[in-house]
Amino acid sequence: MASLAAFTFLVATEFRRSAESILTVQEEIERHQATGSQSALNQIARLNGQLLSALEKNEASDADFSEIQSAIDALYVRADHITRRLEAGASSTLYAKTGQGEGLIGDGTTTVIAIEALVALMDEALVAPDPIAALRAPELIQAIETARKASFQYLQRSTRLKSALMSSQTEKVLFLSRATLVFLAIVTLAGAVSLHLLRLEVLARKEREKAESRADRLAYFDALTGLANRVQFQDKVDEFLGPKARGALILIDLDSFKEINDRHGHAAGDAVLKQMARAIRDEAEVTGGIAARLGGDEFAVFMPTDDTDFLLGFCQSLLSLCAEPLEFAGTRVISGVSIGLTTTTQVSASIYSGYDQLMRVADFALYASKAAGRGRVTLYDADLERQMDERRTLLEDLPKALENDELEVFLQPKVLIGTGEVIGFEALVRWWRNGVLFNPAQFISVAEDSNRICEIDAFVLDRAVGIMADWNRRHRTSFGVSVNLSGSHFVSRDGLPFVSDALQRHGFEPEFLTLEITETVQLSRWDIAQEIVTGLKALGCKISIDDFGTGYSSLIYLKTISADELKIDKSLIDEIEGSEEARFILDAVLDLADSLRLEVVVEGIEREEQRSFLHRLGCKVGQGYLFGKPIAAAEALADATYSLPTLDDLPPANKARVPRLGAERGLADRA
């Protein structure tokens, strides 16, 4: 009995010693994963996401750079942590028990080298003169991919190491279990302990497998919708694409998603995203496509075919499905999507270079869909390619326009509809590009996308204020001027310092400057916009809402902007003679303006019949080709085209508004 008890004791002791040793190694390997390879993969994915966000917008704010720097710093700390873990492991005898310790240390060292190389390249890019261009460098993209693959290899090595340990431990447990069963009749308690330890180990293994599965899903799937994320989508598309591969990339963007979040809350926004994801996934899977959520409200589908008829039918089906209303918390939430479609065969060989170019082209087609009114699909074709080439050329030439003084200010008169008397002007910008005069519709959207619009606005305002101030001083008149401002000025509390600078520099009275804010511009921060407008009005400037009634939310604009003037859009004037509805809307706008004591300016008057009709309605001030086309500022003020009156010619109402500025200020007389 004593020998049996001693044998049982030795068996139990050996089992405990082996289990503790292997568990110690497993814990060390798990630390490698949790604080090393897995964490590095997460930080690389975070960095990649920040870079893609900045590159898609083709710009990076201070917040974007801060996020990118934070990800770089986290990677640097992670590399240092892995290095210390590897140094501790190299001096330990634990890895020797597995026979794969050298491989784990080797993969970890490779990961550290790759991360340090990536951090060095990112640091150089962030301090480059043009960070956005530097962040597009192929070597930087390659460095990110190298670091990701090295970290993934490191994670795989540790996973295989754990599996080897589990196999070894299982064999040990089985051996000890069989030995215990032989003496089970005599040593019942020792057998019960062994079975209990075996159960605990099986449960621990299942928990580890679940954790690994969750980590893998987070790395390659979108948490909200369950669709493939951007990383997995690109990997799968890259695997499919080849020199002769034929496929199609479809980009899908939700329309008015911000408005859904603002009006119904983010929970409703998430519900809409889930509904869209289900519709897109179901349609894509039926036809063998790959669906993904790229981020925010943007989805993508890759189809292994270039049959345009089939693809257009697929996209039309998506438009219908995504337009179905969603019932959320007793409210009907209505959304929709815009779609950009391109195929590998439609992208010309001269610009096709794989996934990135295919994505860029599809994004341009999506941009065309949204610009055309949303809720539609646009196929990238030869015409769109020409537009894209022209847009790319405009983007390249636009920075030179200001440097080479190619922009010119034109003036369009504001007149009294009843008499045709000129009472002021609106400043418009034109671009002399390669000897051809471009109007704003041809380049302003490009200027907004390239972050040049603020410089152009400042140039136009300064030039217009200078010219009008000079004219008013020399002729003792009181003409005002209106200048349009982009919504880009209303996203930061820095305000519009160039407005006060121009007024002071040229000695122009603020009451004669009207700043127009186009209602079709969707202001992202109403609180900031209201704060900036309040500052401009305190300065003495007037505020006008341009294209009133055609934008996102007229009442919100009226409440936030506190305007002095409404400009009725030309599209409404074009219809007043033949549309009862247009006349009703115009009459309602005039009543609203009268109630709020707002001045009204009517744009787009091109025929005498329109002028007469508007005059009968009570409209006082108008603009349009009926009163003369916009011409260069210098010509407008020097030419007799508009018969500009002097102080003696002005009616009493205008004389009262003329500032008494005294003698000339030494400015050259250009009249």
Side-chain angles (χ1 to χ4, degrees):
M1 289 294 293
S3 61
L4 291 175
F7 179 80
T8 303
F9 175 78
L10 291 174
V11 168
T13 301
E14 177 62 16
F15 181 86
R16 180 181 293 276
R17 186 193 65 78
S18 176
E20 288 177 351
S21 176
I22 293 176
L23 287 173
T24 300
V25 177
Q26 287 180 328
E27 290 173 359
E28 176 64 20
I29 293 172
E30 289 172 355
R31 282 193 290 270
H32 270 280
Q33 291 181 323
T35 63
S37 55
Q38 186 61 59
S39 182
L41 277 172
N42 291 338
Q43 293 301 333
I44 291 169
R46 173 190 172 194
L47 174 60
N48 197 35
Q50 292 296 328
L51 284 175
L52 288 173
S53 176
L55 293 179
E56 285 177 353
K57 298 184 295 183
N58 201 27
E59 63 175 337
S61 63
D62 291 342
D64 291 332
F65 281 121
S66 177
E67 287 293 332
I68 292 172
Q69 187 62 59
S70 174
I72 295 171
D73 293 341
L75 274 175
Y76 179 82
V77 171
R78 191 54 48 206
D80 181 68
H81 186 86
I82 294 173
T83 300
R84 287 188 278 107
R85 179 70 63 190
L86 293 174
E87 289 174 353
S91 60
S92 173
T93 60
L94 292 175
Y95 293 157
K97 298 178 181 297
T98 67
Q100 299 187 43
E102 292 182 359
L104 182 65
I105 293 173
D107 288 342
T109 302
T110 301
T111 300
V112 170
I113 293 172
I115 291 175
E116 289 177 346
L118 172 59
V119 169
L121 286 174
M122 286 299 303
D123 286 339
E124 292 177 3
L126 290 180
V127 298
D130 186 356
I132 293 297
L135 292 174
R136 294 183 186 278
E139 56 270 26
L140 184 57
I141 297 173
Q142 183 60 43
I144 293 175
E145 183 62 17
T146 300
R148 184 184 72 81
K149 288 182 177 179
S151 301
F152 189 74
Q153 180 67 28
Y154 185 25
L155 179 63
Q156 284 186 319
R157 173 74 71 173
S158 60
T159 302
R160 289 196 298 270
L161 190 54
K162 286 197 296 183
S163 297
L165 284 169
M166 184 58 65
S167 177
S168 173
Q169 186 173 12
T170 302
E171 291 177 2
K172 189 76 171 180
V173 169
L174 290 174
F175 169 78
L176 294 175
S177 297
R178 286 193 293 268
T180 303
L181 287 174
V182 174
F183 302 100
L184 185 61
I186 304 171
V187 196
T188 305
L189 182 59
V193 171
S194 298
L195 290 174
H196 179 64
L197 290 175
L198 178 61
R199 178 176 177 273
L200 290 178
E201 181 55 33
V202 170
L203 291 175
R205 180 177 181 176
K206 289 182 178 179
E207 287 301 318
R208 285 194 296 273
E209 290 175 349
K210 289 180 182 179
E212 291 172 3
S213 176
R214 285 194 298 269
D216 182 68
R217 186 164 188 83
L218 288 174
Y220 291 100
F221 291 89
D222 176 61
L224 177 66
T225 64
L227 295 180
N229 62 14
R230 183 184 293 272
V231 174
Q232 184 185 175
F233 183 70
Q234 181 172 353
D235 287 346
K236 288 187 176 181
V237 174
D238 280 337
E239 289 177 5
F240 178 86
L241 292 177
K244 297 183 180 180
R246 294 188 175 185
L249 182 62
I250 303 169
L251 286 186
I252 307 155
D253 192 77
L254 270 66
D255 295 334
S256 305
F257 182 64
K258 182 181 183 301
E259 291 183 16
I260 293 175
N261 279 330
D262 291 343
R263 180 177 299 177
H264 303 288
H266 289 279
D270 289 347
V272 170
L273 289 174
K274 291 178 181 178
Q275 175 175 278
M276 298 296 180
R278 283 193 297 270
I280 294 169
R281 179 181 55 221
D282 292 346
E283 286 295 299
E285 288 180 351
V286 169
T287 54
I290 305 168
R293 182 189 177 199
L294 302 183
D297 59 348
E298 189 174 17
F299 297 85
V301 174
F302 184 81
M303 302 291 287
T305 178
D306 62 349
D307 184 340
T308 54
D309 290 337
F310 168 78
L311 292 168
L312 287 171
F314 173 83
C315 292
Q316 290 295 338
S317 177
L318 278 183
L319 289 175
S320 300
L321 288 172
C322 294
E324 294 180 0
L326 169 69
E327 295 291 336
F328 181 82
T331 303
R332 285 169 61 88
V333 181
I334 301 175
S335 183
V337 297
S338 297
I339 298 177
L341 165 64
T342 187
T343 68
T344 54
T345 52
Q346 287 166 330
V347 179
S348 66
S350 61
I351 65 171
Y352 179 68
S353 59
Y355 172 85
D356 290 336
Q357 183 59 39
L358 205 61
M359 181 67 73
R360 190 175 298 112
V361 169
D363 190 60
F364 188 78
L366 174 61
Y367 173 87
S369 288
K370 298 178 81 69
R374 307 186 181 190
R376 64 191 65 206
V377 56
T378 299
L379 172 66
Y380 186 83
D381 54 17
D383 289 338
L384 206 59
E385 183 169 338
R386 282 193 295 272
Q387 294 177 30
M388 185 174 180
D389 289 341
E390 174 63 18
R391 185 176 181 83
R392 184 166 54 248
T393 304
L394 285 174
L395 281 170
E396 294 171 355
D397 292 347
L398 191 59
K400 306 171 188 175
L402 284 166
E403 298 171 8
N404 299 337
D405 198 25
E406 296 173 359
L407 297 181
E408 184 172 0
V409 172
F410 277 54
L411 294 177
Q412 183 173 30
K414 289 183 178 179
V415 305
L416 294 177
I417 292 177
T419 65
E421 178 191 351
V422 177
I423 61 171
F425 296 90
E426 178 182 0
L428 307 173
V429 64
R430 300 289 189 267
W431 177 11
W432 285 102
R433 179 172 178 253
N434 300 325
V436 178
L437 192 63
F438 277 50
N439 63 48
Q442 294 173 286
F443 67 90
I444 287 299
S445 64
V446 177
E448 290 176 337
D449 292 343
S450 63
N451 295 323
R452 292 281 178 172
I453 188 63
C454 293
E455 297 176 58
I456 293 176
D457 284 353
F459 164 81
V460 173
L461 186 138
D462 183 78
R463 186 65 60 87
V465 165
I467 291 171
M468 294 309 303
D470 182 27
W471 178 265
N472 284 342
R473 278 194 295 270
R474 287 187 288 107
H475 295 277
R476 303 190 60 77
T477 54
S478 58
F479 290 113
V481 64
S482 299
V483 180
N484 198 283
L485 294 178
S486 166
S488 301
H489 297 287
F490 297 89
V491 297
S492 169
R493 287 189 169 87
D494 293 339
L496 297 154
F498 63 84
V499 175
S500 58
D501 291 346
L503 291 171
Q504 292 175 9
R505 184 166 56 257
H506 298 293
F508 193 62
E509 292 296 319
E511 65 180 282
F512 298 138
L513 175 61
T514 300
L515 300 172
E516 298 182 1
I517 305 172
T518 304
E519 195 205 1
T520 51
V521 173
Q522 186 176 21
L523 302 178
S524 57
R525 289 290 303 273
W526 291 102
D527 55 337
I528 294 178
Q530 189 172 40
E531 185 177 322
I532 293 173
V533 168
T534 301
L536 293 172
K537 290 177 70 67
L539 189 64
C541 302
K542 294 182 179 179
I543 303 298
S544 174
I545 299 179
D546 196 11
D547 298 340
F548 183 77
T550 63
Y552 291 96
S553 44
S554 301
L555 295 180
I556 294 178
Y557 257 79
L558 283 175
K559 178 181 177 182
T560 303
I561 301 303
S562 302
D564 303 288
E565 175 185 282
L566 300 181
K567 294 190 71 175
I568 298 177
D569 186 61
K570 178 181 183 299
S571 61
L572 188 61
I573 304 307
D574 289 340
E575 301 176 5
I576 57 172
E577 296 174 86
S579 169
E580 188 70 30
E581 182 181 358
R583 290 194 292 270
F584 176 80
I585 293 173
L586 178 59
D587 193 50
V589 171
L590 292 174
D591 287 343
L592 176 64
D594 185 60
S595 300
L596 298 177
R597 297 181 181 179
L598 301 177
E599 297 180 10
V600 174
V601 177
V602 181
E603 297 181 298
I605 303 175
E606 298 182 353
R607 298 189 305 278
E608 174 60 29
E609 293 80 6
Q610 292 174 328
R611 186 203 66 79
S612 298
F613 184 86
L614 292 169
H615 185 51
R616 290 195 301 272
L617 280 180
C619 299
K620 297 180 180 179
V621 182
Q623 293 178 268
Y625 282 7
L626 181 65
F627 310 114
K629 295 182 179 180
I631 63 172
E635 298 175 26
L637 295 178
D639 199 328
T641 302
Y642 298 128
S643 301
L644 299 180
T646 63
L647 177 62
D648 294 333
D649 299 322
L650 291 175
N654 275 32
K655 286 183 181 179
R657 295 173 61 236
V658 177
R660 300 287 179 172
L661 297 178
E664 300 295 332
R665 303 187 180 182
L667 297 175
D669 190 346
R670 294 175 296 176

